[in-house]
Amino acid sequence: MKICRFDNNRLGVVEGDLVYDVSAALDFLPRCGYPLPQYDLLIANLPKVLELVDAARATASSKPLSQVSLLSPVANPGKIIAAPVNYQKHLKEVLGDPNLHHDNQISNIQRAGLFLKASSSLAGASEGVRLRKLERRNDHEVELAVVIGKQAKNVTRAHALDYVAGYCIGLDITIRGPEERSLRKSPDSYTVLGPWLVTSDEIRNPSSLGFSLRVNDEIRQQSNTSDLILGVPELIEFASSFYTLHPGDVIITGTPEGVGPLQPGDVMDADIEKIGSMRVNVHAAES
Ligand code: MN
């Protein structure tokens, strides 16, 4: 099932070119008071929500996909975990271009480990990217994004996929420069998730998904998740050995070769096999 958040926090199920409004399925979610839970409420209750979505779908009204505004399919991830240099050809590309690395940053993922992006950097496909620091290079990175479905601690790779709620496309927008990744990759709107969540029953094997990114209709990145150095099960094992993963936590798995600069006015089209495609407009941030 393809689940989206759209317009004014509506819940939708996507079928073909239509979005069915199944927001009624949200009514059973517990009302939260202070303090808020450390997990995303919708994802933590996803099995029950999906049952109710099925029930609501029969009488749901629909709208063309082209007429809705798509928000991030996860509203409140506790953390956004990111994998640096997780494709061999991208590692080579980085090592060959002084624009792309500084001495403190470059090494393979087994040495570099993972980093976190601010959850305030999250945006949906229709919200677009708002670039800051325009005097510096701002690059696109397209990545498979994994949404964790249940609490995970010290999970082995053999069981790791049992903890996945679903998948979406992730864009890890990056200001190049000497600072820590978490700073350069965390401005508002620098993590785009979308266009919707594809539940994990539709993607049994996340290790052979073709994907691409076009900018202004020119192909910039094209690869397959079979080229990941650490695949999805290994990333979950690695991450959950350092910290607890909660429902709604997002892992963006790393980008392949072909990263390149973005300018205000650009249009990105990202596509991942079995997920779909999303168009994301690039703007300048308001000063
Ligand atoms: Mn990245």
Side-chain angles (χ1 to χ4, degrees):
M1 199 177 281
K2 296 181 171 75
I3 295 290
C4 70
R5 284 177 61 241
F6 71 100
D7 294 348
N8 185 20
N9 291 302
R10 309 298 298 172
L11 185 71
V13 58
V14 179
E15 294 177 19
D17 294 332
L18 294 176
V19 179
Y20 291 85
D21 189 328
V22 289
S23 303
L26 299 175
D27 289 346
F28 98 100
L29 290 180
R31 298 288 149 213
C32 285
Y34 175 85
L36 295 172
Q38 285 183 304
Y39 50 81
D40 182 272
L41 209 54
L42 172 65
I43 303 297
N45 291 283
L46 195 60
K48 179 68 177 169
V49 169
L50 293 178
E51 270 177 37
L52 296 173
V53 164
D54 258 343
R57 163 68 183 80
T59 54
S61 62
S62 69
K63 267 182 162 180
L65 199 46
S66 58
Q67 285 174 25
V68 306
S69 182
L70 291 168
L71 308 173
S72 166
V74 185
N76 302 112
K79 48 190 174 298
I80 301 172
I81 300 159
V85 285
N86 198 16
Y87 285 85
Q88 203 62 42
K89 285 184 190 162
H90 177 54
L91 176 59
K92 267 191 201 156
E93 168 181 69
V94 170
L95 289 170
D97 184 344
N99 280 315
L100 294 183
H101 70 91
H102 291 78
D103 292 345
N104 62 331
Q105 290 164 6
I106 193 58
S107 59
N108 63 33
I109 184 166
Q110 290 92 338
R111 260 184 71 108
L114 304 169
F115 64 96
L116 297 176
K117 299 189 72 170
S119 48
S120 53
S121 68
L122 195 60
S126 300
E127 294 172 288
V129 169
R130 300 184 304 282
L131 298 180
R132 296 201 190 199
K133 310 288 177 193
L134 290 174
E135 72 284 6
R136 289 164 62 171
R137 225 175 105 167
N138 272 270
D139 280 6
H140 54 77
E141 300 188 351
V142 62
E143 320 199 352
L144 174 67
V146 180
V147 178
I148 297 297
K150 44 184 186 181
Q151 184 173 300
K153 283 181 186 182
N154 295 314
V155 168
T156 63
R157 62 190 67 184
H159 296 109
L161 295 182
D162 299 344
Y163 293 81
V164 175
Y167 301 90
C168 35
I169 305 174
L171 297 176
D172 177 18
I173 309 300
T174 303
I175 299 169
R176 297 298 169 196
E179 302 91 346
E180 296 287 347
R181 287 184 175 92
S182 64
L183 181 69
R184 295 182 289 104
K185 290 168 172 277
S186 285
D188 297 356
S189 79
Y190 274 45
T191 307
V192 183
L193 271 193
W196 39 71
L197 178 82
V198 178
T199 51
S200 55
D201 58 302
E202 294 194 8
I203 300 180
R204 293 283 182 200
N205 178 12
S207 306
S208 64
L209 302 173
F211 65 102
S212 68
L213 180 80
R214 290 170 186 272
V215 178
N216 305 332
D217 238 359
E218 175 200 335
I219 192 88
R220 291 273 188 92
Q221 297 186 270
Q222 189 161 33
S223 189
N224 192 292
T225 56
S226 60
D227 290 335
L228 280 165
I229 297 170
L230 294 187
V232 174
E234 291 81 9
L235 288 169
I236 292 171
E237 179 182 86
F238 192 120
S240 74
S241 76
F242 278 87
Y243 34 54
T244 302
L245 303 178
H246 297 283
D249 282 2
V250 174
I251 303 177
I252 53 174
T253 53
T255 201
E257 70 279 9
V259 299
L262 291 170
Q263 302 291 341
D266 284 348
V267 178
M268 293 184 281
D269 286 295
D271 179 277
I272 299 185
E273 197 181 335
K274 294 190 180 176
I275 296 176
S277 58
M278 66 177 182
R279 172 161 286 193
V280 179
N281 293 309
V282 180
H283 314 280
E286 285 169 26
S287 49

